[in-house]
């Protein structure tokens, strides 16, 4: 049950790492991202596709670039991650509760 969540978090981490690279180095191509992150080309390509579907990046002839939506997403990201962390904390089963 928790394994799927771990895989999703790992994938989200990869997507955000790819997005960060686009923000910091735009335009940037798949080969450079793959070389710098160590992710295989197909995983970088998948992350780019997901980010493009979310309108966070768009392709250009020189590589991926950010969109108008990117900065808004980044501004909201920390709050959304904090909310998820709070939810996860609330889901913990306390050792004291198990002893009862």
């Amino acid at each position: 049950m928790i394994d799927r969540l771990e895989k999703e978090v790992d994938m989200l981490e990869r997507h955000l790492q790819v997005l960060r690279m686009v923000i910091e180095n735009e335009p940037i191509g798949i080969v450079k991202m793959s070389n710098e992150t160590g992710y295989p080309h197909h995983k970088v390509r998948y992350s780019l596709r997901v980010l493009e579907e979310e309108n966070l990046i768009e392709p250009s002839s020189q590589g991926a670039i950010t969109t108008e939506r990117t900065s808004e997403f980044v501004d909201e990201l920390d709050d959304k991650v904090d909310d998820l962390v709070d939810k996860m904390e609330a889901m913990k089963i306390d050792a004291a509760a198990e002893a009862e």
Side-chain angles (χ1 to χ4, degrees), residues 65-78:
I65 58 173
T66 58
T67 67
E68 292 177 7
R69 174 148 160 50
T70 307
S71 62
E72 176 187 344
F73 174 82
V74 170
D75 291 344
E76 297 172 353
L77 180 64
D78 286 349

Side-chain angles (χ1 to χ4, degrees), residues 41-79:
H41 290 119
H42 71 277
K43 289 193 174 193
V44 172
R45 189 175 294 113
Y46 178 73
S47 290
L48 289 169
R49 186 175 334 122
V50 168
L51 294 168
E52 186 177 353
E53 288 172 1
E54 293 292 323
N55 296 316
L56 297 174
I57 64 164
E58 59 187 28
S60 76
S61 58
Q62 292 85 28
I65 58 173
T66 58
T67 67
E68 292 177 7
R69 174 148 160 50
T70 307
S71 62
E72 176 187 344
F73 174 82
V74 170
D75 291 344
E76 297 172 353
L77 180 64
D78 286 349
D79 288 338

Side-chain angles (χ1 to χ4, degrees), residues 23 29 56 87:
I23 291 168
L56 297 174
K87 283 182 184 178

